[in-house]
Amino acid sequence: MRAAPWAALISWVSLSFCLLLPSSARAQNPLSGFNPATLAGETRGVFLEARAFCAENTLTLQPLLIGDQKKRPFRPGSSNTADGAWKTASGLIWHGWKFAALYRGEIYLKANRDTLEILRLIDQKKNLPVGREYKIDIQARGFSAFGVEVSKGMKFNILVPGLTAGFTARYLQGEMIQEGKIEGRIIPVSKKSYNFDLSIDYVYDDNLVYDRLETIPGTGTGYSFDFGLQYVMNTWFRGEILCRDIGGRMFWKDVPYTDANASSKNREYDSQGYQIYRPTIRGYESYKDYVQKIPLKTDILISCQAGPFALTPSVSFIDSRPFPWIDLSYRRVSHRRGKNFSLHTGYNPDYRAYSLGVAYGKVSLTISGSDTDINTTQFLGLMLSLQYPW
């Protein structure tokens, strides 16, 4: 919240859009992850993979791209979310093992209706409803990190024919952290000014809520684990389950934080007479060690194939929130070249988002969006997978 509290929300969401790059050619859900169980039977190769999405249910993504704050549709609900995650990785596959260097991040935001309504009015400098009390509630959780990971896929054909399992262990070196909450109230006292009293409990690398001078970002290290299963019954049925970031933690050292009250005790105004957000801070600004929990994710997938067509419904649970996805694909085998060619399309009912992708051999690309018009889209996603066997 620099120029206004709304700027913090825009800035936080912008972080999730910095890299729209994605992991596996086997699943076209941009919210899912790489299942190490699919490594069983892989021999040797090098790879590059990327996967990301950015989504929100209240505004469009258009202001994040071109900065036009006034034309965007506005559809607030009782609970409003903005979510984003990205990961790029590259490395080596060696007889069921996978070694990768990676860069990943995620940001999850939640705000109530009152918060978005008043912040939008302030941001666009519209007349304020005098005397109305707006209850403020914003929560954010996010981080980004560089790291390395090791995965292994194994067959269990003796116990259960068609069953494979896999695990991933990763080490992370923290780059960015944004985690905290803002609660309180804002009450307009005129058409262009307002009282506010906000409680801030906030850990960060860069303070997006208000200007804090001379902060030094902390350092962080962390880890997480994935475990996946894949069951191939026959040529027409396949099921997968993947648990990601099991026990995931980031351990931050000397990270900036604020535990304080922000109020409108002192006011400043612009040339149009509209109040400028300049909070009076009373409380603590310091540095501390902080343990950040990485949200658990679970992906469940079922694929049914009939001839060259396959129907693949899936759902990703991110911090207990379900994100369903359904794919329809067409695959053709080139007998002369010995490679598979496939086209696929998908749909997400939450954001009314569609995906369109193509795969040839070990190369796959999928693009997702809720609308072809950037002025109305609420979902953007991209997946890319390249693998070169040798």
Side-chain angles (χ1 to χ4, degrees):
M1 287 188 287
R2 285 177 176 166
W6 175 249
L9 196 58
I10 289 293
S11 299
W12 270 331
V13 177
S14 298
L15 291 171
S16 67
F17 194 71
C18 290
L19 276 180
L20 283 183
L21 289 176
S23 102
S24 163
R26 301 176 65 89
Q28 282 73 52
N29 182 347
L31 290 79
S32 63
F34 171 76
N35 189 341
T38 61
L39 286 171
E42 293 283 348
T43 54
R44 299 176 299 178
V46 293
F47 69 91
L48 168 67
E49 56 189 29
R51 177 185 300 264
F53 75 93
C54 182
E56 49 80 19
N57 68 344
T58 304
L59 303 168
T60 69
L61 298 176
Q62 175 245 19
L64 301 182
L65 301 178
I66 60 178
D68 188 343
Q69 304 289 323
K70 296 183 179 180
K71 296 182 180 180
R72 61 183 185 264
F74 184 58
R75 299 177 286 265
S78 58
S79 178
N80 305 276
T81 59
D83 309 299
W86 58 95
K87 178 184 177 183
T88 60
S90 181
L92 173 71
I93 295 173
W94 183 265
H95 298 290
W97 290 88
K98 179 180 175 183
F99 307 90
L102 64 95
Y103 174 68
R104 62 168 291 187
E106 57 188 51
I107 187 82
Y108 304 107
L109 306 172
K110 184 169 65 174
N112 64 355
R113 187 185 187 109
D114 275 10
T115 298
L116 293 192
E117 286 183 346
I118 186 61
L119 297 188
R120 179 179 170 86
L121 291 175
I122 293 172
D123 177 60
Q124 298 190 356
K125 295 185 178 181
K126 294 185 176 181
N127 289 338
L128 305 177
V130 178
R132 177 178 170 181
E133 178 178 330
Y134 291 87
K135 295 182 179 179
I136 305 302
D137 186 358
I138 306 175
Q139 300 178 37
R141 174 190 289 183
F143 78 97
S144 65
F146 295 89
V148 293
E149 63 183 19
V150 178
S151 303
K152 171 62 175 174
M154 300 163 288
K155 295 182 179 181
F156 289 90
N157 288 332
I158 297 178
L159 299 176
V160 181
L163 178 66
T164 59
F167 69 88
T168 297
R170 67 178 56 87
Y171 169 81
L172 300 170
Q173 186 72 44
E175 178 199 42
M176 174 275 290
I177 178 174
Q178 292 286 319
E179 181 155 331
K181 61 182 179 180
I182 303 173
E183 298 176 324
R185 62 178 186 169
I186 297 177
I187 302 176
V189 294
S190 74
K191 292 183 178 181
K192 296 184 178 182
S193 63
Y194 49 91
N195 290 333
F196 60 88
D197 184 12
L198 305 174
S199 174
I200 301 173
D201 185 1
Y202 181 33
V203 180
Y204 45 88
D205 64 304
D206 180 26
N207 194 330
L208 303 177
V209 178
Y210 65 92
D211 290 321
R212 175 179 169 181
L213 301 177
E214 299 179 355
T215 56
I216 301 173
T219 59
T221 58
Y223 60 82
S224 70
F225 304 93
D226 300 350
F227 178 76
L229 294 172
Q230 178 183 236
Y231 177 58
V232 180
M233 177 183 293
N234 46 43
T235 58
W236 63 269
F237 180 84
R238 173 174 61 92
E240 294 184 18
I241 183 169
L242 171 65
C243 295
R244 293 182 281 145
D245 289 324
I246 300 171
R249 297 290 187 276
M250 290 294 298
F251 300 90
W252 297 92
K253 183 175 178 60
D254 296 326
V255 66
Y257 83 100
T258 295
D259 185 1
N261 173 263
S263 67
S264 53
K265 182 177 180 181
N266 298 313
R267 288 191 177 90
E268 296 182 36
Y269 301 88
D270 61 18
S271 60
Q272 298 175 318
Y274 215 98
Q275 182 175 336
I276 302 173
Y277 178 74
R278 293 283 190 269
T280 300
I281 302 298
R282 297 183 63 182
Y284 297 97
E285 291 179 337
S286 188
Y287 299 84
K288 70 176 181 179
D289 296 344
Y290 183 74
V291 179
Q292 183 182 30
K293 181 180 178 181
I294 302 176
L296 177 69
K297 297 98 176 165
T298 303
D299 305 326
I300 301 174
L301 174 153
I302 295 175
S303 182
C304 300
Q305 185 161 338
F309 297 96
L311 182 66
T312 308
S314 63
V315 60
S316 294
F317 294 89
I318 302 177
D319 202 16
S320 300
R321 290 172 53 202
F323 295 87
W325 202 273
I326 186 166
D327 282 288
L328 178 64
S329 63
Y330 169 80
R331 186 180 69 171
R332 181 174 64 86
V333 179
S334 173
H335 297 287
R336 186 176 65 177
R337 295 180 178 270
K339 293 183 178 181
N340 293 329
F341 170 80
S342 65
L343 293 172
H344 51 261
T345 182
Y347 178 70
N348 170 264
D350 289 336
Y351 296 99
R352 298 179 181 177
Y354 295 88
S355 67
L356 181 64
V358 60
Y360 180 69
K362 296 291 186 177
V363 180
S364 176
L365 174 66
T366 302
I367 299 174
S368 307
S370 61
D371 201 305
T372 56
D373 185 353
I374 199 64
N375 292 307
T376 56
T377 190
Q378 294 180 271
F379 187 100
L380 287 173
L382 179 65
M383 294 185 295
L384 172 67
S385 177
L386 308 172
Q387 186 174 329
Y388 180 75
W390 54 278

